[in-house]
C-alpha cells in the first residue's frame, strides 16, 4: 500500500502577529501546499491520502477555503483515491465547527471521535492492499489516550493507524500540550505496521519498525517552524520495514541567521553585504521558494553605536529585506560592543576599570554574592545553580560594560 501522510495543515490560521500582507501570503501558501499534496497524490498514483488532524484551524473557515478544500479532495475522488481524515484538537468533530457540516466527497472518511473508522484500501486494479483505521478528537481538549481504542490488526493485510496525539515520551514532548497523550511502547506493541501521527509540527521518526512518524506541518507559520515542510510518501508491505520519503511542498520557508562578530563591517554597505553572504550560505541551493527571515547580530563590531540606535536598526532592516528579497524580515540586535579589548582597560583606576574587574571577578567566582539569596534571582530553582546562573548571565559581561560606558562617554561629548 502506497499513501501520503500529512497533518497540521491549519487552513485559515489566524497568524495575528504578522502584517496583513504577510498573513495573506501565508494563508495562500497553506492552500497552495495542500493543492501540491493533491498534485503529488495524482502524480504518484497513491492508494490513499491520510490526514492526521488539524486540517482546519479552530472556528476560522473562510468561504474561499471551504470551496478550495472540497475541490482538491474531489480531484482525488475522480480517480478513486480514498482520503482518511482524523480530526484533531484544532478541528474537533463534535464541537459544532462549520467544518463539521461540510459536504465531503464520497472518497473522504472522517473520524470525528473515538469511534474507530476502518477503510479497506484497494489499488488501481481493485486488489486489496491494506487497511487504514482512524480515530478523531471529539473536542478540543481530549485528555484520554485514544490509541487504546484501536482494534488489534488482523494480520492479513498491512494495517495503518491514523491519530492526532502527543506521544508523551517522544523528543520535545514537553513543548506540546498533552492532547490525547499516548505512550510510545503502546504504539510499538499495537501490531500496526505504520502509525500516521499528527500534532507535532516538527518532522519526527519515533520508530523505524513498526514505523511511527510525525510528518510535521504542511506549511511553517512561525520562526519556530523553520526548515522544509511537506508530507511523507509511504509504502507499506507485510514483513518488511515501510519505505518513507519526505516530499517538500511548502512554498514559504522560515529561516533564522545568527551573525556573530561582524568585525570587518565598518559601513552600512559592508554590513549588508556580510549578512547577505551568510544568508546565501544558509539558504543557497533552493529555488521556487519565498522566505521569511530573522537576523540576529551580536558581538564585536565597529558599528556597535549605530546598531544600538532604533532608527538605524529600522533602516538596516529595510535595506536587508530588499537585498535578501524576503517577504518579511526581523532584525534583532543582541549584545554589541566595540572592538576595544577588555584587557586593555582592566588596569584603569576609574569607574570603568573597577566595573570591569568586578564583573570578571563575579563571573569567575572570585567575588561571591554572599548577601544575595537564590529567591531573588529569576530562573534559579535551587541554590546549586547560582554560580552557573551568574556565569551564564555575565557571559559577555565585560564587553557589555565596556560598550555601555564607552557609549555614555561618546554621547556626553
Amino acid at each position: 500500500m502506497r499513501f501520503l501522510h500529512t497533518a497540521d495543515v491549519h487552513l485559515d490560521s489566524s497568524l495575528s502577529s504578522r502584517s496583513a500582507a504577510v498573513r495573506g501570503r501565508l494563508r495562500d501558501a497553506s492552500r497552495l501546499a495542500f493543492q501540491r499534496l493533491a498534485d503529488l497524490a495524482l502524480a504518484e498514483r497513491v492508494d490513499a491520502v491520510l490526514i492526521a488532524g488539524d486540517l482546519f484551524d479552530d472556528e476560522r473557515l473562510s468561504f474561499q477555503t471551504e470551496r478550495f478544500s472540497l475541490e482538491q479532495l474531489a480531484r482525488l475522488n475522480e480517480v478513486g483515491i480514498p482520503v482518511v481524515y482524523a480530526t484533531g484538537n484544532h478541528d474537533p468533530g463534535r464541537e459544532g465547527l462549520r467544518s463539521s457540516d461540510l459536504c465531503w466527497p464520497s472518497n473522504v472518511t472522517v473520524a470525528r471521535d473515538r469511534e474507530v473508522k476502518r477503510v479497506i484500501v484497494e489499488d488501481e486494479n481493485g486488489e486489496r492492499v491494506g487497511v487504514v483505521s482512524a480515530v478523531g478528537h471529539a473536542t478540543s481538549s481530549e485528555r484520554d489516550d485514544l490509541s487504546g481504542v484501536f482494534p488489534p490488526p488482523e494480520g492479513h493485510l498491512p494495517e495503518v493507524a491514523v491519530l492526532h496525539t502527543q506521544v508523551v515520551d517522544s523528543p520535545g514532548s514537553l513543548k506540546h500540550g498533552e492532547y490525547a497523550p499516548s505512550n510510545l511502547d503502546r504504539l510499538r506493541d499495537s501490531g500496526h505496521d505504520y502509525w500516521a501521527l499528527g500534532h507535532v509540527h516538527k518532522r519526527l521518526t519515533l520508530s523505524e519498525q513498526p514505523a511511527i512518524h510525525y510528518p510535521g506541518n504542511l506549511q511553517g507559520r512561525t520562526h519556530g517552524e523553520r526548515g522544509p515542510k511537506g508530507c511523507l510518501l509511504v509504502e507499506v508491505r507485510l514483513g518488511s520495514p515501510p519505505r518513507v520519503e519526505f516530499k517538500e511542498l511548502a512554498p514559504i520557508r522560515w529561516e533564522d541567521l545568527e551573525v556573530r562578530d561582524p568585525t570587518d563591517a565598518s559601513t552600512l554597505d559592508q554590513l549588508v553585504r556580510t549578512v547577505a553572504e551568510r544568508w546565501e550560505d544558509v539558504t543557497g541551493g533552493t529555488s521556487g521558494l519565498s522566505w521569511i527571515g530573522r537576523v540576529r547580530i551580536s558581538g564585536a563590531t565597529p558599528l556597535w553605536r549605530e546598531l544600538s540606535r532604533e532608527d538605524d536598526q529600522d533602516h538596516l532592516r529595510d535595506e536587508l529585506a530588499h537585498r535578501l528579497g524576503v517577504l518579511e524580515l526581523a532584525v534583532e540586535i543582541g549584545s554589541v560592543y566595540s572592538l576595544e579589548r577588555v584587557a586593555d582597560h582592566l588596569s584603569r583606576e576609574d569607574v570603568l576599570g573597577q566595573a570591569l574587574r568586578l564583573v570578571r571577578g563575579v563571573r569567575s567566582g572570585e567575588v561571591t554574592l554572599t548577601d544575595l539569596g537564590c529567591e531573588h534571582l529569576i530562573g534559579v530553582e535551587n541554590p546549586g545553580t547560582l554560580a552557573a546562573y551568574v556565569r551564564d548571565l555575565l557571559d559577555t559581561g565585560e564587553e557589555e560594560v565596556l560598550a555601555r560606558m564607552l557609549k555614555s562617554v561618546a554621547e556626553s561629548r
Side-chain angles (χ1 to χ4, degrees), residues 94-95 119 134 190-191 273 296 304 353 365:
R94 300 297 181 194
E95 287 196 349
V119 177
S190 69
R273 182 166 60 251
R296 179 178 172 83
W304 62 278

Side-chain angles (χ1 to χ4, degrees), residues 253 255-258 273-286 291 324:
R253 193 185 294 184
E255 190 56 72
D256 284 3
L257 176 66
E258 181 80 23
R273 182 166 60 251
T274 295
V275 174
E277 289 172 353
R278 298 190 190 183
W279 178 262
E280 179 63 26
D281 290 340
V282 172
T283 64
T286 57
W291 297 85
L324 304 182

Side-chain angles (χ1 to χ4, degrees), residues 1 118-121 129-133 154 157-161 192:
M1 177 171 56
R118 286 177 62 83
V119 177
I120 305 297
V121 178
V129 293
V131 179
V132 175
S133 299
E154 298 176 359
L157 293 170
E159 294 241 9
V160 175
H192 291 85

